[in-house]
Amino acid sequence: MGKYSIQIQGILATYMERVNCGGDYRLGLSKIKKHVIVCSTTLTLDSLIDFLNEFYGNPNLEVVLTICQMMWTRDVTAILRDSQTVIRGMRDFEQRSFTELNLLAGAVRGELPKLARATLCALITINVHARDIISEMVKKQVSELLSFDWQKQLRYYWNMEVDNCVVCMSIAVYTYGYEYLGACPRLVITPLTDRCYLCLMGALQLDLGGAPAGPAGTGKTETTKDLAKALAIWCVVFNCSDSLDYKMMGGFFSGLAQSGAWCCFDEFNRINIEVLSVIAQQLITIRNAKVAKLNRFMFEGREIKLVHTCAAFITMNPGYAGWTELPDNLQALFRPISMMVPDYGLIAEVILYSEGFESSRTLAKKMVQMYKLCSEQLSQQDHYDFGMRAVKSVLVMAGSLKRQNPDKPEDVVLIRALRDSNLPKFLFNDAKLFQAILSDLFPGVNIPEHDYGQLKDEIMNIQLEMKLQVVDTQVVKVIQFLETMIVRHGVMLVGPTVVERPQFTG
């Protein structure tokens, strides 16, 4: 993402003097903001891995992503301002992006602390999107700074007039929030994600909320949360139900206005219509105070302070059985955006690449095809899931297995992740069909059975102690139960009262 070895000239020189002087000004800076200032003048690509190793327990991990995006924006802006060499400069910058991304991908395959690896994976995810942006601009021969192909991107600047980092997208300008987020993963940015960002940023500029709508598993909530991460704002996700009343929501909005945080109300259209009418008036009161630039305002009969970064977002699933049509005055407070099925192939490719897989594109295509065939050919069961959540869990498991078995071929690692993640939940006949699909997609690849050694022996010993007959299928299910508990937050056992072959899912 740009030439990290070029230091910011002039923009942060005075800030470095203030930070190093140890005066009152330094005490006034937030800790995250101070790290942004310091790191922006010291971060280079060659020292990035050492930098992560040294500061892996420090707020610098979050700051690295911001600094890299700030420098990338600065470098692209400098190229577009030079009208005589802009085309050649963009091509050179594209090649440099490929080179630097390969270096980062090589680094993630090495030994790294857990938090440093998480930050590096997030950095690769963002860099892949930055590389694609440059490639698209080169293809379209973008040569002007005001071109919409450049203006529509999420861009980070240090604005000397406000002494702060600002994030721009189209005509929207947002001040960076400096909320401590830690080494959290970032969302793979697809064209759908870009369009949603553009809509939500435009809504924020108008002091409105955003309303992504679409089927389950299309990334409505995750996209909102990731935009909050990009702007360093705390985002609270709240699952709505028909039991909510206006008093509870009023208390929620009061805390939201005073904290300056965001809230994403999941399945907002499940709230009763009577409550929605009151919610509309509560949100209008907050928006009017924001438009009037007030620092304090009257809300629900008492005066409270207002932090202007507060915002409310709602997600809706029109196909939900008990959904309610929003009142017109409530709809006017949110900008709608339709969320379709995400690009599974691109998401799988980027995540595999960030986890250290070299042949990520080929493996991602096979994985997406496998889930497509499973959804079409396997029996229809309530506990079967072939959506984005299932794909993500397999990718995370594949990355973990890749680090545990660096010498094994990548296709073998992915097949094991697919098998261990999916096989426990399939019925007996579906399990055979699943194995056949894997064999067709990965012909000639032999997967050796994992040796569980002492674990298997102890399971058999416990069965004998309980005076049970040792059955191989039951031993296998116990092992699958353990592996599922390791990778899932919750486990549900599924089957009839008398079970010969119990199935379960996570």
Side-chain angles (χ1 to χ4, degrees):
M1 287 177 65
K3 192 173 181 181
Y4 299 125
S5 56
I6 300 179
Q7 297 184 354
I8 294 181
Q9 299 283 333
I11 297 179
L12 299 174
T14 56
Y15 286 92
M16 279 301 296
E17 294 176 3
R18 294 175 183 176
V19 170
N20 291 330
C21 72
D24 293 337
Y25 185 85
R26 179 182 181 182
L27 297 176
L29 289 172
S30 70
K31 194 172 184 181
I32 302 295
K33 185 174 182 180
K34 183 181 72 176
H35 280 288
V36 169
I37 296 168
V38 173
C39 296
S40 61
T41 59
T42 59
L43 183 60
T44 64
L45 183 64
D46 295 335
S47 66
L48 179 60
I49 307 304
D50 296 334
F51 178 85
L52 292 174
N53 280 325
E54 183 176 355
F55 295 103
Y56 67 88
N58 195 290
N60 290 69
L61 285 178
E62 173 194 341
V63 171
V64 166
L65 302 181
T66 304
I67 296 300
C68 292
Q69 292 175 96
M70 196 186 300
M71 291 183 170
W72 176 79
T73 303
R74 177 209 58 195
D75 290 346
V76 177
T77 301
I79 294 172
L80 292 175
R81 279 177 175 162
D82 190 354
S83 58
Q84 296 181 350
T85 61
V86 61
I87 301 299
R88 186 176 72 250
M90 291 297 291
R91 287 174 181 161
D92 293 341
F93 191 79
E94 180 186 21
Q95 293 302 316
R96 194 163 65 222
S97 298
F98 276 101
T99 302
E100 293 173 350
L101 189 57
N102 289 334
L103 288 174
L104 292 174
V108 81
R109 301 184 190 108
E111 293 293 330
L112 287 172
K114 183 178 179 180
L115 292 180
R117 181 180 299 280
T119 299
L120 199 55
C121 288
L123 185 60
I124 291 174
T125 302
I126 293 174
N127 279 26
V128 168
H129 180 59
R131 177 203 64 188
D132 294 341
I133 291 173
I134 299 301
S135 298
E136 187 68 19
M137 292 175 67
V138 169
K139 182 179 177 181
K140 293 183 177 180
Q141 294 189 344
V142 175
S143 58
E144 295 181 1
L145 195 61
L146 297 179
S147 170
F148 184 68
D149 289 296
W150 170 241
Q151 292 294 317
K152 70 178 182 179
Q153 309 301 336
L154 202 63
R155 311 182 312 280
Y156 291 71
Y157 301 93
W158 188 274
N159 190 323
M160 287 295 293
E161 294 181 2
V162 295
D163 289 349
N164 222 331
C165 174
V166 295
V167 185
C168 304
M169 196 172 199
S170 187
I171 61 172
V173 180
Y174 201 92
T175 303
Y176 191 76
Y178 300 103
E179 178 71 33
Y180 178 70
L181 303 173
C184 54
R186 294 297 298 273
L187 201 66
V188 176
I189 302 175
T190 65
L192 175 64
T193 313
D194 267 332
R195 290 195 294 272
C196 187
Y197 282 178
L198 192 60
C199 177
L200 297 182
M201 287 290 286
L204 291 171
Q205 186 72 10
L206 299 173
D207 290 318
L208 298 174
T218 52
K220 303 183 293 295
T221 305
E222 291 300 320
T223 302
T224 304
K225 287 166 57 180
D226 196 71
L227 181 60
K229 292 177 184 178
L231 301 177
I233 298 293
W234 184 31
C235 182
V236 180
V237 177
F238 186 77
N239 293 298
C240 300
S241 69
D242 54 7
S243 63
L244 293 176
D245 57 29
Y246 74 94
K247 291 183 179 179
M248 185 184 300
M249 296 301 293
F252 205 111
F253 290 135
S254 174
L256 208 63
Q258 295 178 81
S259 66
W262 289 5
C263 185
C264 179
F265 295 95
D266 244 352
E267 306 296 346
F268 191 71
N269 50 350
R270 294 168 64 178
I271 303 176
N272 291 329
I273 185 67
E274 297 85 0
V275 180
L276 289 177
S277 298
V278 181
I279 289 175
Q281 294 302 318
Q282 293 170 337
L283 289 174
I284 288 173
T285 302
I286 296 175
R287 182 177 185 268
N288 290 340
K290 291 176 67 176
V291 171
K293 307 296 183 185
L294 300 178
N295 292 323
R296 301 188 67 84
F297 71 111
M298 293 298 297
F299 183 79
E300 297 289 291
R302 64 191 184 98
E303 186 180 74
I304 62 174
K305 74 172 183 177
L306 175 64
V307 180
H308 287 262
T309 55
C310 67
F313 300 85
I314 62 175
T315 69
M316 295 181 292
N317 184 353
Y320 175 69
W323 75 291
T324 306
E325 188 72 32
L326 299 186
D328 291 341
N329 59 343
L330 188 56
Q331 289 186 29
L333 298 175
F334 298 94
R335 290 190 68 176
I337 173 71
S338 178
M339 302 289 285
M340 295 293 99
V341 178
D343 188 343
Y344 288 3
L346 176 60
I347 294 172
E349 178 186 345
V350 174
I351 293 179
L352 286 174
Y353 189 71
S354 67
E355 293 285 355
F357 284 80
E358 295 181 14
S359 53
S360 58
R361 178 165 298 181
T362 303
L363 294 176
K365 289 180 179 179
K366 290 186 176 183
M367 181 178 174
V368 172
Q369 184 65 20
M370 190 216 72
Y371 273 100
K372 182 174 181 291
L373 293 173
C374 286
S375 63
E376 294 173 351
Q377 299 183 17
L378 270 57
S379 64
Q380 300 297 316
Q381 303 293 330
D382 291 338
H383 65 276
Y384 285 4
D385 179 20
F386 303 112
M388 192 63 242
R389 292 181 177 89
V391 173
K392 180 68 185 298
S393 65
V394 172
L395 295 171
V396 173
M397 179 186 288
S400 177
L401 292 174
K402 170 74 173 175
R403 292 187 289 274
Q404 295 173 13
N405 307 276
D407 300 330
K408 287 188 177 181
E410 292 182 346
D411 51 358
V412 172
V413 173
L414 181 60
I415 291 175
R416 185 182 166 191
L418 289 167
R419 185 187 63 185
D420 292 352
S421 180
N422 291 289
L423 201 57
K425 65 185 176 185
F426 290 144
L427 301 179
F428 183 70
N429 293 331
D430 288 338
K432 289 184 177 180
L433 186 55
F434 174 75
Q435 296 278 27
I437 292 174
L438 277 182
S439 300
D440 291 341
L441 289 174
F442 298 90
V445 180
N446 295 320
I447 308 297
E449 290 295 329
H450 188 68
D451 183 16
Y452 292 97
Q454 187 178 358
L455 173 63
K456 186 174 182 180
D457 294 338
E458 287 299 321
I459 292 173
M460 297 172 67
N461 291 336
I462 294 296
Q463 287 179 320
L464 293 174
E465 289 179 9
M466 298 175 67
K467 301 190 183 302
L468 298 174
Q469 183 180 355
V470 177
V471 182
D472 290 339
T473 54
Q474 187 181 28
V475 174
V476 171
K477 280 299 169 186
V478 173
I479 293 174
Q480 290 178 348
F481 188 33
L482 173 64
E483 291 181 334
T484 305
M485 290 176 65
I486 294 173
V487 299
R488 301 283 189 176
H489 292 293
V491 181
M492 177 174 60
L493 275 72
V494 180
T497 306
V498 181
V499 182
E500 293 184 2
R501 298 185 178 91
Q503 310 296 329
F504 57 86
T505 182

